[in-house]
Amino acid sequence: KMAGDAADRVKLKLKEQVEFYLSPRNLQTDFYLYSKMDSKLRVPLDVVASFPRIRDLCQSKEELVDIVKSSDVLRLDEDSSEMLIAPANIKPALRTTVILREVPDDVTDEELLAIFTTKPATIK
């Protein structure tokens, strides 16, 4: 029974650690982990599995997958060629900024807006 309790404590600690790594609080300052995320805020399971604290607590990738699946705050994306972990409660921001460079001074606001509101010409 004691061995089971110890194993349960290790699993709980592992779950808490993975959830912390992908928490909004940590992602604000963990530029390395954030740099490994794709546009949907997913990070490869292998990246998380490589962290020393995770390696100390985890026996296998399968165990890490089970931990992520049991979490209420993480989600596992298995649709791609690699398994990806993402925070379940953070939605990726939509891109809303357009930067135009080297626009001539004599171009009017209306001309600029027309770039985004008119249909592009069809090439035949």
Side-chain angles (χ1 to χ4, degrees):
K1 176 76 176 158
M2 284 181 63
D5 290 345
D8 288 344
R9 282 195 300 274
V10 170
K11 283 184 180 182
L12 179 61
K13 201 169 185 174
L14 174 60
K15 183 177 178 181
E16 289 171 348
Q17 191 64 49
V18 176
E19 288 177 347
F20 167 75
Y21 282 140
L22 291 160
S23 69
R25 189 171 111 231
N26 185 59
L27 290 173
Q28 289 176 5
T29 57
D30 190 335
F31 301 114
Y32 172 76
L33 183 58
Y34 191 77
S35 75
K36 296 296 182 184
M37 294 181 136
D38 65 11
S39 63
K40 295 179 182 176
L41 299 179
R42 301 175 306 180
V43 65
L45 181 81
D46 290 340
V47 170
V48 176
S50 73
F51 294 159
R53 287 186 183 161
I54 300 301
R55 286 196 322 257
D56 289 345
L57 296 168
C58 191
Q59 303 301 311
S60 67
K61 280 188 191 178
E62 292 76 21
E63 183 180 9
L64 185 55
V65 166
D66 290 343
I67 290 293
V68 172
K69 285 180 176 179
S70 73
S71 174
D72 293 331
V73 296
L74 300 175
R75 62 185 166 82
L76 186 68
D77 181 357
E78 299 178 84
D79 296 337
S80 63
S81 60
E82 60 183 341
M83 284 189 270
L84 302 164
I85 307 172
N89 53 354
I90 301 176
K91 301 291 182 219
L94 297 174
R95 292 185 175 181
T96 58
T97 304
V98 175
I99 299 172
L100 299 175
R101 293 197 168 103
E102 301 178 27
V103 177
D105 291 338
D106 60 345
V107 173
T108 66
D109 290 348
E110 291 77 22
E111 289 172 316
L112 288 175
L113 287 172
I115 294 170
F116 303 102
T117 57
T118 57
K119 285 185 176 181
T122 305
I123 299 174
K124 294 182 181 181

